[in-house]
Amino acid sequence: MAAPESTVPIEIRQHNALTTARYEMSACEMDIVFSLLSKLTKQDQAGTIYEIRVKELMEMTGRTWNYKQLLESTENLNSRVYHIETGKTLLQVSLLASALYRKGEGTIELEISERMRPFLIDLKSNFTSYRLQAAFSLSSKYAKRIYQLASQWKDIGETKTYSLDEFKGMLKLKDPAGKEPEQYAQISSLQKYVLDVATTQINEHTDLRIKYELLKKGRSFQSIKFYVNTQVPQQLPIPFELEADDAKVQLARKHLETLGIAEPKLVQDILQSPKYVDALFAFIYKLKTDKIKATKNPGGLFLKMQGLR
């Protein structure tokens, strides 16, 4: 497994219609979806089965999801309906056609519903790309959604102006039909529990820096827009062409940078060894979940544990 020549962020793509679709997901559901999207390739055929390794998912996100949470999440993903408007059509569609758990193996096999496939794979120019690790790093489900939305406009610098009804509808905070009670109806609650949390997390943990503006009509707030800037130099997106091993190596390289391990030969030796790469992911997961205490020199501790120093 050869190390890539340069560090390129892993990016995933979805149709803009899906970015602005009306749906609600838990943080666990969205992490499963992000992992699923990172495994798609343009060559995938109908009925392709995608394997999600639970251990790898937890190592990448730094969060622990138990069996019950994962089971509930895939069940919800099977039944949760996206409302996707494109021109004169309104499509109601679920993401998954099936989810299979292999008990004792720590793996989930997912199958995408055929009606959803064009919004994920058959993309041309009308798409949103965003960074996988950035999406994983956000703990708020609203931050994850707003990050996707902001990513759609990152090359322009600001989003279009959304009516508050439209914005709340995308986040499933308000039912357009009025059949369910509105969440965070007071603007102060919307700011405190949704907008401010999302803005803080996105600005601290992703490649974007955003701020929002609430706009009044008369004496009340009626609409919202976001201003979006990138915090790191733009790089060409690498959407579906990456092999799974390549994507894992790129993320491993980022973990080494975080640990302060930069000596070229040492980095190369680690990235070319599946054993060291797996050990690195396990170490990062334990570090994030406080199962390993190393406040002064975690990189040195990792190297020592692997017999590399």
Side-chain angles (χ1 to χ4, degrees):
M1 182 169 63
E5 293 182 359
S6 61
T7 302
V8 182
I10 304 165
E11 296 209 4
I12 51 184
R13 290 181 175 186
Q14 63 186 30
H15 197 282
N16 287 345
L18 187 57
T19 303
T20 56
R22 298 198 311 271
Y23 64 90
E24 179 186 17
M25 288 186 186
S26 68
C28 184
E29 289 171 55
M30 295 193 78
D31 282 348
I32 291 172
V33 171
F34 293 145
S35 182
L36 171 62
L37 293 180
S38 72
K39 296 179 181 296
L40 304 184
T41 72
K42 291 179 179 178
Q43 291 72 42
D44 293 346
Q45 302 297 314
T48 298
I49 301 299
Y50 304 92
E51 183 183 85
I52 306 293
R53 299 185 63 82
V54 176
K55 181 181 177 183
E56 186 174 281
L57 178 65
M58 292 193 295
E59 288 173 350
M60 291 177 75
T61 62
R63 288 184 286 275
T64 300
W65 305 116
N66 61 41
Y67 178 79
K68 183 174 182 291
Q69 288 174 307
L70 292 167
L71 199 62
E72 288 177 352
S73 293
T74 51
E75 182 178 352
N76 288 337
L77 288 172
N78 267 303
S79 60
R80 197 176 298 287
V81 175
Y82 287 74
H83 298 261
I84 304 173
E85 295 190 44
T86 55
K88 297 181 179 180
T89 65
L90 170 60
L91 175 65
Q92 297 173 316
V93 61
S94 59
L95 173 66
L96 298 182
S98 67
L100 173 70
Y101 281 79
R102 294 200 175 277
K103 297 180 180 180
E105 296 182 21
T107 60
I108 310 170
E109 295 182 357
L110 303 178
E111 178 185 5
I112 296 173
S113 64
E114 285 310 300
R115 280 277 191 164
M116 181 63 86
R117 182 173 292 277
F119 296 97
L120 301 175
I121 294 179
D122 300 330
L123 303 178
K124 294 181 173 60
S125 60
N126 192 25
F127 65 87
T128 301
S129 69
Y130 50 91
R131 295 186 176 179
L132 176 63
Q133 192 57 29
F136 273 146
S137 70
L138 303 169
S139 60
S140 162
K141 63 181 181 180
Y142 301 123
K144 291 175 185 287
R145 283 300 315 276
I146 292 172
Y147 173 67
Q148 291 176 299
L149 183 66
S151 294
Q152 181 181 343
W153 301 88
K154 62 188 175 186
D155 295 328
I156 298 174
E158 62 183 60
T159 70
K160 75 171 195 176
T161 299
Y162 298 95
S163 72
L164 284 179
D165 286 344
E166 182 183 9
F167 177 70
K168 288 181 177 180
M170 285 190 291
L171 271 62
K172 270 301 186 79
L173 297 172
K174 186 173 185 178
D175 179 8
K179 295 179 180 179
E180 299 177 4
E182 181 179 349
Q183 299 180 57
Y184 308 120
Q186 297 295 322
I187 199 70
S188 58
S189 296
L190 180 67
Q191 288 182 280
K192 181 177 180 180
Y193 297 108
V194 178
L195 296 172
D196 291 346
V197 171
T199 299
T200 298
Q201 289 194 8
I202 290 169
N203 290 346
E204 288 182 356
H205 300 296
T206 79
D207 54 307
L208 302 183
R209 175 165 288 277
I210 70 167
K211 63 179 180 179
Y212 65 87
E213 181 181 8
L214 291 164
L215 304 170
K216 281 186 175 181
K217 186 175 182 180
R219 302 181 68 179
S220 61
F221 291 106
Q222 297 292 329
S223 56
I224 185 172
K225 73 186 303 184
F226 293 88
Y227 297 92
V228 188
N229 292 298
T230 55
Q231 301 196 80
V232 295
Q234 283 291 335
Q235 301 186 55
L236 293 175
I238 306 295
F240 302 128
E241 288 78 4
L242 286 173
E243 295 294 332
D245 280 351
D246 291 334
K248 190 172 183 180
V249 166
Q250 290 185 22
L251 186 55
R253 182 182 287 272
K254 182 175 180 179
H255 286 328
L256 290 176
E257 290 176 357
T258 300
L259 293 175
I261 300 173
E263 184 182 327
K265 185 178 185 309
L266 196 54
V267 170
Q268 185 176 9
D269 288 345
I270 293 171
L271 295 181
Q272 289 181 339
S273 166
K275 180 186 75 171
Y276 288 147
V277 169
D278 287 344
L280 175 63
F281 275 91
F283 181 82
I284 291 293
Y285 169 66
K286 291 177 182 177
L287 199 63
K288 286 183 176 181
T289 54
D290 290 327
K291 294 181 179 178
I292 288 179
K293 305 288 185 180
T295 56
K296 292 184 178 180
N297 184 14
L301 176 60
F302 171 74
L303 294 175
K304 184 177 181 180
M305 290 172 65
Q306 302 307 313
L308 294 169
R309 180 158 297 173

